[in-house]
Amino acid sequence: MCGIVGYLGSGSALDIVLEGLEQLEYRGYDSSGLTIKTSEGFKRVRAEGSLDHLKQKIEKLEGPLGIGHIRWATHGTASLENAHPHKVGKIQLVHNGIIENSEELKTRFKYNYQSQTDTEVIASVISDFYSRTGDFFQSVFETTKLLEGAFAFLAVCEDEAHSIVGARKGPPLVVGFGKEKEFFISSDLPSLVQKWTSRVAFLEDGELVHIQDGRCQFFSSDGSLIKKKIQTIQKEDQAKGKEDYAHYMLKEIFEQPHSSLRVLKAYTEKGQINFSSPLFQSAEKIFIVACGSSYYAGLYGKFVLESIVGIPVEVDLASEFQYKSLILKPKDIVLFISQSGETADTLSSFHQVKKRGVTCYALCNVRNSSLDREVDASFYLNAGLEVGVASTKAFTSTLVLLLLMALNKQKDHSLVSQLFDLPFLIDQVLSKSEQIKEQAVLFSKYKRFLYLGRGPHYPIALEGALKMKELAYIHAEGYPSGEMKHGPLALVDQEVLVIGLAMKDFYYSKNIMNLQEAKARGGFILTIGDQNHKSVADQHIEIPSCHPFLSPILEVVVLQLIAYHFACSLGHDVDHPRNLAKSVTVE
């Protein structure tokens, strides 16, 4: 979840580390800090809260070496004493991950700990080894053998003015090679490639890197020197900044006509779907494994795959799937969805499946991510850079890609030609943003939100509720419409706003009946659909009529706008929701 960055070269370490932290702030914003090697020694600066607070505390620090950290709190509160880098003796360290045996190590390596973090324990262990051996790299190596859990960290030693040691087990760590004797290290491949260099090497689990005196060496988990392939990663065109939008999230909501068109173009040719393989032709069962919004996209994928391909699909949360007794057959296919390709639970589940020899596919938005590099085949969302923590365009791109994958088996499906109308349909929905803003501002008197849908609309109800929870910090739940009478109807009163996904399709009459039941209990009813049923709807947002598999994509754009405008009316920072981070690299 946290972000780490390091630099050693002839440039300004301060400028590069700060620029790196700006790129990584999506990973956390509870606190930040950096250490720069100056002519007067190693200087450490830390601050609570956003990166701007750190910048305000920094005076000009000239030097060629630096490490930095942006924090999403795991062990310990979001406070100054828990901010990284942590310093023990002559060792300073930044870390992403969770050390599961930190309490055990605390009792073994006695030290007057100044923080509540597990990270300070790593620094303490390295410092203990270093005080006895005087060998910085060996001290880090011996420490990694004692650590249980997940980690990617960078360490510096005050006795070695031109040395950084990094280690990885779980969360990503990438080394970039700049001009002669210039090195970058980051948690994030896209920012590394976009900002500094296209030549990179990936640390795999258990590996270490030692950058010292103008050279870079890699080591395996047993301490052996290894050769790493330096890859040239193509820089992708990415729109920079918020442009004229108030927030990145709003910009990314409005980019969805373009992002949906990109994924359509990537997997079609001359109006026909064109995947490099038949995908599911010989599959007996498909498993979809994901977390958060990607899990809800998987539920939509289950619906379209079973409807079109006719193969049974099971959808699992990665955090649960990895601990299940897996019943997999040779002809099964497991499809992992992770926008970042670094989601810890999803990667852990993948590693469990990989041992069984089952075919594994990935849907992700980041090329050369950990998941992308290891699966049998990857399919890219082509959504472009998404900065807002709450996913928008990456989610809709996932829905489009899953639908394309389902339709790949039936290339003459009548829906294929309609898919190319999708960007125009989304644009029509976006034209209602100001209307939705006016409606959303009036919702502040409601304390609870219920989202109802059936069939392919149910996953969209779940996603709409998640967006409201993420951005507005209020109770919101998604339910299958028909399940309301089996318990959740007890929640409905005059303080509840019920959002019904009510397209004029196969489910319409049943949905309206369920919404009437909620209205009879005092709930305020907002409907989203292509027809206003005035006898039940207190308010209505109209969207274009379209194929039943496409309408959920239009509905989710409306729900994104509702959550965005409602949260803004409450004064919340929608780009940085509290307690959340964009990339979840810890379990």
Side-chain angles (χ1 to χ4, degrees), residues 287 321-334 336 348-360 376:
F287 292 81
F321 185 83
Q322 61 182 306
Y323 301 115
K324 288 176 61 174
S325 296
L326 300 182
I327 303 174
L328 297 170
K329 297 179 181 179
K331 289 188 177 182
D332 290 342
I333 288 175
V334 185
F336 297 92
S348 181
S349 295
F350 162 71
H351 291 137
Q352 295 293 324
V353 173
K354 187 178 181 181
K355 298 174 184 175
R356 307 294 187 92
V358 174
T359 300
C360 296
D376 297 298

Side-chain angles (χ1 to χ4, degrees), residues 449-452 497-501 515 524 526-528 559 562:
F449 284 59
L450 296 178
Y451 295 71
L452 306 183
L497 189 147
V498 179
I499 298 178
L501 305 179
L515 290 171
F524 183 92
L526 168 67
T527 54
I528 298 169
L559 297 179
I562 290 173

Side-chain angles (χ1 to χ4, degrees), residues 521-538:
R521 273 75 180 176
F524 183 92
I525 309 298
L526 168 67
T527 54
I528 298 169
D530 52 354
Q531 180 170 314
N532 186 357
H533 201 295
K534 295 183 180 180
S535 67
V536 68
D538 296 298

Side-chain angles (χ1 to χ4, degrees), residues 140-400:
V140 175
F141 172 65
E142 294 298 333
T143 297
T144 61
K145 293 193 290 185
L146 300 179
L147 302 179
E148 297 176 7
F151 56 82
F153 67 76
L154 300 177
V156 295
C157 176
E158 293 177 3
D159 288 337
E160 298 192 10
H162 301 284
S163 178
I164 300 176
V165 178
R168 179 206 172 182
K169 180 186 175 185
L173 201 58
V174 188
V175 179
F177 297 82
K179 55 189 178 183
E180 187 178 1
K181 297 181 180 181
E182 183 179 47
F183 306 95
F184 308 85
I185 314 175
S186 178
S187 300
D188 186 272
L189 172 66
S191 64
L192 191 70
V193 173
Q194 290 295 128
K195 301 301 296 185
W196 300 309
T197 178
S198 60
R199 299 175 62 242
V200 303
F202 299 92
L203 266 72
E204 303 300 338
D205 271 1
E207 294 181 349
L208 297 91
V209 60
H210 189 191
I211 301 171
Q212 184 180 35
D213 297 327
R215 66 177 182 172
C216 179
Q217 295 179 305
F218 295 91
F219 298 84
S220 67
S221 58
D222 64 4
S224 302
L225 187 65
I226 57 175
K227 286 187 176 182
K228 294 289 289 185
K229 179 181 179 182
I230 299 176
Q231 303 180 40
T232 300
I233 305 298
Q234 184 176 359
K235 181 184 291 189
E236 298 184 14
D237 293 332
Q238 305 282 15
K240 300 294 191 303
K242 290 183 286 189
E243 299 176 358
D244 294 328
Y245 293 95
H247 297 93
Y248 280 105
M249 183 181 177
L250 186 62
K251 174 175 177 268
E252 287 154 10
I253 289 173
F254 272 82
E255 286 176 344
Q256 287 174 116
H258 303 288
S259 58
S260 62
L261 183 60
R262 279 198 300 271
V263 72
L264 286 171
K265 286 184 174 180
Y267 294 102
T268 59
E269 185 176 354
K270 296 180 180 179
Q272 295 296 312
I273 295 172
N274 182 32
F275 283 91
S276 57
S277 67
L279 297 180
F280 308 119
Q281 194 165 24
S282 60
E284 292 183 353
K285 186 174 183 179
I286 301 168
F287 292 81
I288 299 177
V289 181
C291 299
S293 291
S294 294
Y295 170 72
Y296 300 148
L299 293 175
Y300 168 85
K302 171 184 170 67
F303 187 91
V304 296
L305 284 164
E306 289 183 340
S307 299
I308 297 171
V309 182
I311 298 173
V313 179
E314 179 180 317
V315 187
D316 285 275
L317 288 163
S319 57
E320 295 293 324
F321 185 83
Q322 61 182 306
Y323 301 115
K324 288 176 61 174
S325 296
L326 300 182
I327 303 174
L328 297 170
K329 297 179 181 179
K331 289 188 177 182
D332 290 342
I333 288 175
V334 185
L335 178 60
F336 297 92
I337 306 176
S338 170
Q339 295 162 19
S340 68
E342 303 292 353
T343 308
D345 290 313
T346 306
L347 282 169
S348 181
S349 295
F350 162 71
H351 291 137
Q352 295 293 324
V353 173
K354 187 178 181 181
K355 298 174 184 175
R356 307 294 187 92
V358 174
T359 300
C360 296
Y361 293 159
L363 267 63
C364 59
N365 199 37
V366 180
R367 296 176 189 272
N368 297 292
S369 59
S370 297
L371 187 63
D372 174 37
R373 298 198 309 273
E374 295 190 53
V375 293
D376 297 298
S378 280
F379 303 93
Y380 300 107
L381 305 183
N382 292 281
L385 179 66
E386 188 175 72
V387 177
V389 168
S391 181
T392 51
K393 63 179 181 176
F395 179 79
T396 52
S397 291
T398 308
L399 301 186
V400 176

